[in-house]
Amino acid sequence: MQSFLGKRAVASAISLVGLIILVFFLSRLTGDPTDLYLPVDASLESRERFREINGLNDPLLIQFVHYMGDLLRFDFGDSIRRSEPALEAVLRGFGWTLQLAVITMSLVTVSAIVLGSLAAFHVGGIFDRIATFFSLIGASAPDFWVAIVAIVIFSVGLGWLPTSGTGTPWHWVLPVAVLFIRPFGLILQVVRGAMITALHAPYVKTARAKGVRNRPIIFVHALRNALLPVITVIGDQTTAILNGAVVVETIFGFPGIGKLMIDSILQRDFNVILAAIMVTAFAIFLLNLLIDILYAVLDPRIRY
Amino acid sequence: MTDHLLEVRNLSVDFHTAGGTVHAVRNVSWHLDKGETLAILGESGSGKSVSASAIMDLIDIPPGEIVSGEILFNGENLFAMTQDQRREINGRRIAMIFQDPLSHLNPVYTVGFQIAEAMTTHGISKDEARRTTLDLMKRVGIPNAEEKIDAYPHQFSGGQRQRLMIAMALAVKPDILIADEPTTALDVTVQAQILALLEDLQRETGMGLLLITHDLGVVAEVADRVVVMNAGEIVESGSAAQVYRQPVHPYTKTLIAAVPGTGAMAEPLATGIKPILEVNHVSKHYGAFVALEDASLTVLPGETVAIVGESGSGKSTLAKTLLRLEEATGGEALYKGRDLLTMPRRELFDIRREVQMIFQDPTQSLNPRMSVFQIIAEAFAIHPGILPKPQWRGRVRELLEHVGLNATHMDRYPHQFSGGQRQRIAIARALALEPKLIICDEAVSALDVSIQAQVIHLLEQLQRDFGLSYLFIAHDLPLVRDFAHRVVVMQGGRIVEQGPVAQIFDAPQQDYTRNLMAASLHPDPEIQAERRAARQQAQEEYA
């Protein structure tokens, strides 16, 4: 287990360094932030000064060496836009997104597993039809469209829910609901498929021959065997939200990391882009580790 | 009314599939009494398991449909009961064990949980269930039961898993135990232990035992009465001895005639012929694990050399090493004087023409997306220059006729053939390059007895026609007895004994070989009864 953890950490660190190099240079291809932050008629001196302050005057390689040096001291630099440490801005945004992801994915997981299991138990039955209906919607409805239509109906038309921002629990309803649809449809299908296989497995026959009731057959015998592919997809979908539910966060004016990232890219706020990428990368590393550990917990045949 | 413990009356079950309705069993009637062992004997597709599934409510409806009949348990019709009532009977009054214990045990729960569940489901407290589980595990012969109770199924051997299944089935002391091919996946020595355990437990509890099997040897060993099924119908029934000695129905007669182990044994080939294959001191290690050590044997032209042994004996490793599917750790294998194990790939490619292989499962070894013609002709495509392309179809036709298949079917796909026919296709493919030596790895193990006999007959005929040599890897001793010229016995990666077939079977020198022979079952109930008596006597003397 320890050597597994060590190997994973080293492999992830290597990819992270590669990612930093890539993003560092690519983001600088978008142009000079000076043009964005100073008025068009700003003097040459003030432009010089701005570049000097933000360390943009050095050759690119020197900038990179400085950046990496700072990074080793856990200094992620300052945000040009916000004049605060980039990491602070990022962690604040990440906190919001993390809450959004945890709430959404918890709801998705519970509902998809229950409905998917019941759908698999009676293929073609009422639960199966509901499941198929929702997965089709989940797979085919584009979230930006659903988000806008939801705002039109529930906020503008009915006036039940706020259109954007945060503050009350009501502010969470629409973003969570819109983010819920796609992973729910997908995971529902995975649960259904895996459960159909598990419910036809020979060990289920054994359980029936023992006289075990339907509920433990579904939720004790079959479900744990069906969960491996399911948690893989859950991890995948959680990653997608953590990576920034850019569209949904932007539409709902939700101050998460997705919105922060897209804003920083548009504002050439390089330090924030890099910090955001490193924070999400680290979170995804932890998430994948958690999934690997869950594998071993669920299936005793898997040992690292 | 009935006095029988369990009675199946006029049961007919259909399965409605896309390809039409299959009458799985038609008008089947049989009964089982207390303390009695009834065997239902049949080949695959005979419907032998269907009535047991109906008893346990394991038939999926749809696609299944119980068309007619009733099953009386203590005089009460199971089909007239509610699902809850059926569940009360399942496990508690009637329990069942299955063929493949690994897949029939839930891989993600401890065996302790699964055995205890048989009791907690029927209202026994968790503590008591765990105590009983421990007793049961000891009773069925699991060593270190205290530690093993919290282990998972994959941590046990095949035989131990079947013991655990038995413990689970007997947890609530059922009136009836249904055993569906309980020993088919096990080695012969383990099979003998499991059958003995079942008999002991039956004596202790007085339960009725329903044994579903394809193996006449198992019937001879344990059954009081036997019901023979073919194509969904009962063709014959009676006492085990009576059915074996005086079969009435033609199907039973063919079945009994097909059972190997009763024919004449082959004479050894004349000495002084130069061997086609000479294996000297071959070994294969995986790290510290010794899979094969110092194996030496020879195969003469036109000779069948059988390699027998239980699982893990190294017999398949030997085959893979000879074919260079695995690199040997040491030794040499001289084919016509050239070492197969060290020759360059180019040379090996040419030799592959002459040394072919037939695998165990023709369903898996034939590419399902290639037609029979493509499968066989691929050999000519791989080895160019043997046969010009325009002649391929003609040659494939010839080959199919050789192996007894209809040559007009050469554009069909493997799934359109039966298991036995598929193995014939595999043989035709192996013959395409006119090999001198064919390595058969459990080549007929997956086939029914009657089909097995046909395929063996075909192999013998091809040997006569083309002077082929076979290296025949098998675990089925009666089959080897009828087919091989010489036998090599392997255990734990080593060859323990080898010699002419008559010597190995009639006068084995090694204890291991003797044990193996003693554990192998004879289809004749009387002979089997004698062997049993001898075995028990030997055990008593030993004790």
Side-chain angles (χ1 to χ4, degrees):
Chain A
M1 186 70 195
Q2 260 172 352
S3 77
F4 167 76
L5 280 181
K7 272 184 211 156
R8 274 312 262 297
V10 170
S12 304
I14 292 171
S15 348
L16 191 59
V17 169
L19 194 66
I20 293 170
I21 295 173
L22 204 68
V23 175
F24 184 90
F25 291 103
L26 280 179
S27 61
R28 268 147 179 89
L29 285 180
T30 58
D32 187 346
T34 321
D35 301 335
L36 277 180
Y37 286 90
L38 297 188
V40 188
D41 54 357
S43 68
L44 218 57
E45 290 82 61
S46 46
R47 283 173 185 269
E48 247 344 272
R49 232 177 87 71
F50 181 86
R51 292 206 184 94
E52 195 61 53
I53 291 169
N54 290 296
L56 298 168
N57 256 345
D58 299 322
L60 218 46
L61 274 178
I62 302 293
Q63 285 186 36
F64 181 69
V65 171
H66 284 163
Y67 184 78
M68 292 307 274
D70 290 344
L71 209 52
L72 289 178
R73 283 174 278 127
F74 283 99
D75 180 356
F76 289 76
D78 290 338
S79 161
I80 306 179
R81 178 78 187 182
R82 293 155 214 270
S83 46
E84 63 173 331
L87 188 63
E88 254 171 50
V90 167
L91 286 179
R92 194 166 351 102
F94 183 74
W96 285 107
T97 301
L98 187 64
Q99 289 181 56
L100 192 61
V102 168
I103 295 173
T104 308
M105 290 313 292
S106 307
L107 291 173
V108 166
T109 304
V110 172
S111 46
I113 284 178
V114 173
L115 188 56
S117 301
L118 295 174
F121 191 66
H122 276 302
V123 175
I126 176 76
F127 288 112
D128 197 23
R129 283 175 208 193
I130 297 174
T132 314
F133 177 74
F134 274 109
S135 349
L136 198 66
I137 289 182
S140 46
D143 47 7
F144 66 88
W145 180 83
V146 176
I148 291 167
V149 171
I151 291 176
V152 169
I153 295 176
F154 295 103
S155 308
V156 181
L158 298 168
W160 290 353
L161 297 165
T163 52
S164 67
T166 56
T168 67
W170 296 111
H171 282 95
W172 291 81
V173 175
L174 282 182
V176 167
V178 172
L179 281 178
F180 178 88
I181 296 172
R182 189 188 302 267
F184 176 67
L186 185 68
I187 293 169
L188 190 58
Q189 275 311 306
V190 177
V191 172
R192 181 180 174 273
M195 281 297 282
I196 288 176
T197 310
L199 283 168
H200 283 93
Y203 51 77
V204 166
K205 217 170 162 188
T206 310
R208 282 188 204 286
K210 277 195 282 189
V212 178
R213 293 174 171 277
N214 284 340
R215 198 179 304 172
I217 281 182
I218 301 174
F219 292 107
V220 176
H221 282 276
L223 185 59
R224 190 160 156 190
N225 281 283
L227 275 184
L228 288 194
V230 174
I231 58 173
T232 311
V233 183
I234 290 176
D236 233 41
Q237 295 297 309
T238 313
T239 305
I241 298 182
L242 283 184
N243 244 327
V246 178
V247 174
V248 170
E249 287 185 2
T250 310
I251 290 176
F252 290 107
F254 192 87
I257 199 163
K259 186 165 188 312
L260 181 70
M261 253 195 265
I262 199 83
D263 288 348
S264 324
I265 291 169
L266 294 173
Q267 295 156 356
R268 295 182 194 154
D269 203 346
F270 301 141
N271 287 341
V272 177
I273 301 176
L274 279 159
I277 281 169
M278 276 181 271
V279 166
T280 36
F282 186 67
I284 290 165
F285 165 73
L286 285 185
L287 186 71
N288 282 325
L289 204 62
L290 183 73
I291 288 170
D292 284 333
I293 292 169
L294 268 180
Y295 267 18
V297 170
L298 285 173
D299 191 338
R301 289 166 298 181
I302 298 175
R303 288 292 174 261
Y304 302 112
Chain B
M1 268 327 276
T2 171
D3 298 314
H4 300 303
L5 183 56
L6 184 71
E7 185 173 5
V8 174
R9 279 189 191 165
N10 307 322
L11 181 70
S12 296
V13 178
D14 285 357
F15 285 93
H16 304 288
T17 65
T21 298
V22 179
H23 304 292
V25 296
R26 275 171 296 177
N27 233 353
V28 163
S29 301
W30 51 259
H31 64 86
L32 175 71
D33 290 322
K34 198 170 182 305
E36 182 192 40
T37 301
L38 172 71
I40 301 184
L41 178 72
E43 298 187 294
S44 46
S46 64
K48 62 183 185 292
S49 298
V50 176
S51 42
S53 298
I55 295 166
M56 301 308 283
D57 198 15
L58 293 176
I59 293 176
D60 284 326
I61 299 173
E65 186 197 347
I66 290 161
V67 182
S68 69
E70 51 186 14
I71 296 176
L72 302 176
F73 173 61
N74 283 328
E76 280 186 80
N77 187 2
L78 292 179
F79 295 152
M81 293 180 184
T82 64
Q83 266 220 319
D84 282 337
Q85 286 172 316
R86 302 280 304 262
R87 265 199 289 268
E88 279 302 302
I89 289 177
N90 272 10
R92 187 185 182 118
R93 312 292 304 277
I94 309 177
M96 184 162 182
I97 61 174
F98 301 89
Q99 172 173 356
D100 176 6
L102 180 58
S103 61
H104 281 91
L105 287 165
N106 197 324
V108 300
Y109 291 101
T110 64
V111 298
F113 168 81
Q114 296 185 59
I115 297 173
E117 192 191 28
M119 292 174 264
T120 52
T121 294
H122 296 289
I124 293 167
S125 78
K126 273 193 175 166
D127 290 340
E128 198 190 331
R130 191 172 167 91
R131 270 197 305 279
T132 316
T133 300
L134 210 55
D135 291 343
L136 283 163
M137 285 175 70
K138 286 177 191 158
R139 175 62 192 89
V140 298
I142 303 288
N144 290 333
E146 282 86 357
E147 284 168 39
K148 290 288 197 168
I149 190 169
D150 293 318
Y152 292 90
H154 70 276
Q155 294 166 313
F156 293 87
S157 70
Q160 284 179 329
R161 284 183 205 125
Q162 194 58 287
R163 287 167 191 270
L164 291 164
M165 287 288 287
I166 292 171
M168 191 190 302
L170 299 185
V172 206
K173 298 207 168 46
D175 305 332
I176 296 169
L177 178 66
I178 301 175
D180 190 353
E181 301 270 12
T183 56
T184 305
L186 306 175
D187 283 325
V188 280
T189 52
V190 183
Q191 164 170 285
Q193 293 162 8
I194 294 289
L195 292 178
L197 174 65
L198 282 176
E199 280 190 293
D200 286 352
L201 293 166
Q202 187 181 25
R203 255 197 307 276
E204 277 172 35
T205 62
M207 65 185 177
L209 179 61
L210 176 65
L211 190 79
I212 298 160
T213 183
H214 71 281
D215 189 338
L216 266 164
V218 172
V219 173
E221 168 78 4
V222 295
D224 301 315
R225 282 187 306 119
V226 57
V227 166
V228 185
M229 288 195 67
N230 181 36
E233 289 177 310
I234 292 180
V235 295
E236 185 146 5
S237 61
S239 80
Q242 180 195 340
V243 168
Y244 183 80
R245 291 278 151 147
Q246 293 131 8
V248 179
H249 195 276
Y251 173 77
T252 322
K253 287 181 184 166
T254 349
L255 190 69
I256 290 169
V259 172
T262 53
M265 286 188 271
E267 293 293 321
L269 295 186
T271 48
I273 314 172
K274 199 169 155 37
I276 189 167
L277 178 73
E278 211 178 326
V279 178
N280 292 321
H281 313 292
V282 169
S283 51
K284 171 70 193 171
H285 301 178
Y286 297 94
F289 177 73
V290 178
L292 187 65
E293 184 71 20
D294 197 24
S296 301
L297 58 92
T298 56
V299 182
L300 304 178
E303 186 183 37
T304 302
V305 175
I307 303 178
V308 300
E310 300 188 291
S311 38
S313 62
K315 54 191 196 299
S316 285
T317 308
L318 177 58
K320 285 182 199 151
T321 311
L322 294 179
L323 286 161
R324 289 273 289 270
L325 299 175
E326 298 275 358
E327 289 296 323
T329 313
E332 58 173 14
L334 302 176
Y335 176 80
K336 292 182 175 169
R338 288 182 295 170
D339 186 4
L340 287 173
L341 303 183
T342 53
M343 69 173 54
R345 291 275 155 188
R346 182 66 233 173
E347 209 176 324
L348 188 68
F349 180 78
D350 293 335
I351 295 274
R352 285 259 157 89
R353 277 185 57 186
E354 301 185 10
V355 183
Q356 287 287 312
M357 175 120 185
I358 302 171
F359 297 94
Q360 172 168 6
D361 186 350
T363 314
Q364 288 179 22
S365 62
L366 301 178
N367 188 333
R369 303 200 191 288
M370 286 167 78
S371 71
V372 171
F373 168 73
Q374 288 169 326
I375 287 169
I376 297 173
E378 192 185 22
F380 308 129
I382 293 171
H383 294 270
I386 295 176
L387 199 66
K389 202 165 179 181
Q391 293 173 27
W392 287 5
R393 287 192 78 85
R395 178 75 182 125
V396 169
R397 182 169 301 127
E398 256 174 54
L399 285 164
L400 288 175
E401 279 161 5
H402 270 315
V403 298
L405 287 175
N406 188 339
T408 57
H409 293 169
M410 73 165 90
D411 292 313
R412 294 192 179 180
Y413 289 83
H415 72 268
Q416 294 169 293
F417 295 86
S418 71
Q421 288 173 324
R422 280 184 215 138
Q423 199 58 299
R424 285 169 190 262
I425 296 169
I427 294 171
R429 178 185 60 177
L431 290 176
L433 294 168
E434 293 170 11
K436 300 281 178 281
L437 172 66
I438 299 184
I439 298 177
C440 310
D441 190 0
E442 300 279 5
V444 295
S445 309
L447 306 176
D448 278 325
V449 181
S450 54
I451 313 291
Q452 212 171 46
Q454 293 166 14
V455 173
I456 289 291
H457 183 72
L458 170 67
L459 290 174
E460 282 173 338
Q461 191 194 329
L462 293 168
Q463 185 166 56
R464 279 195 300 275
D465 292 353
F466 302 113
L468 290 177
S469 303
Y470 298 121
L471 196 58
F472 189 80
I473 295 163
H475 69 277
D476 186 343
L477 293 172
L479 192 72
V480 164
R481 182 187 173 280
D482 287 2
F483 180 49
H485 294 98
R486 273 189 309 122
V487 180
V488 175
V489 184
M490 292 192 70
Q491 182 203 11
R494 282 163 212 274
I495 293 177
V496 293
E497 185 165 5
Q498 57 178 311
V501 61
Q503 180 196 316
I504 297 289
F505 276 83
D506 290 344
Q509 301 299 304
Q510 299 295 320
D511 284 346
Y512 179 73
T513 317
R514 271 196 287 271
N515 277 334
L516 211 56
M517 297 299 157
S520 164
L521 302 175
H522 195 278
D524 186 336
E526 283 176 26
I527 295 182
Q528 196 50 41
E530 283 168 24
R531 285 194 188 176
R532 252 155 81 115
R535 200 164 59 214
Q536 271 157 6
Q537 200 183 346
Q539 270 167 4
E540 276 158 26
E541 277 169 22
Y542 183 78

